[in-house]
Amino acid sequence: TAGRTRISTQTLLHAVNCTAGAVCTTARCAETQLTLGRLRTHAAGCAVRTAGGCKICLLLEATARFRKKKNLW
């Protein structure tokens, strides 16, 4: 997509569980956390979410499930 960069799965999963905030030295963590914040803002007002048809909301829900199960390995 023009103007957007892809976030790797590894970076996304790190950012979901990172507690260091702005001082995290992992590449793109802070940027990814901002993206997650925008996803949360979207989900808070999404009318399609309740019908289960919004891909953005589904992505956010998947990251929430991972956070709950972060001790898988």
Side-chain angles (χ1 to χ4, degrees):
T1 309
R4 295 184 186 177
T5 56
R6 291 185 181 256
I7 298 170
S8 74
T9 302
Q10 183 177 3
T11 302
L12 177 62
L13 297 180
H14 167 83
V16 165
N17 292 295
C18 182
T19 58
V23 296
C24 181
T25 58
T26 301
R28 299 190 64 207
C29 178
E31 176 186 348
T32 304
Q33 287 185 351
L34 288 173
T35 299
L36 288 167
R38 287 192 297 271
L39 291 176
R40 287 183 197 102
T41 299
H42 163 85
C46 182
V48 179
R49 179 181 187 172
T50 56
C54 179
K55 291 181 181 182
I56 294 170
C57 292
L58 291 174
L59 174 62
L60 185 61
E61 289 169 10
T63 61
R65 282 192 303 272
F66 176 80
R67 185 176 183 109
K68 291 177 185 173
K69 298 177 182 180
K70 69 180 180 179
N71 295 322
L72 289 175
W73 52 88

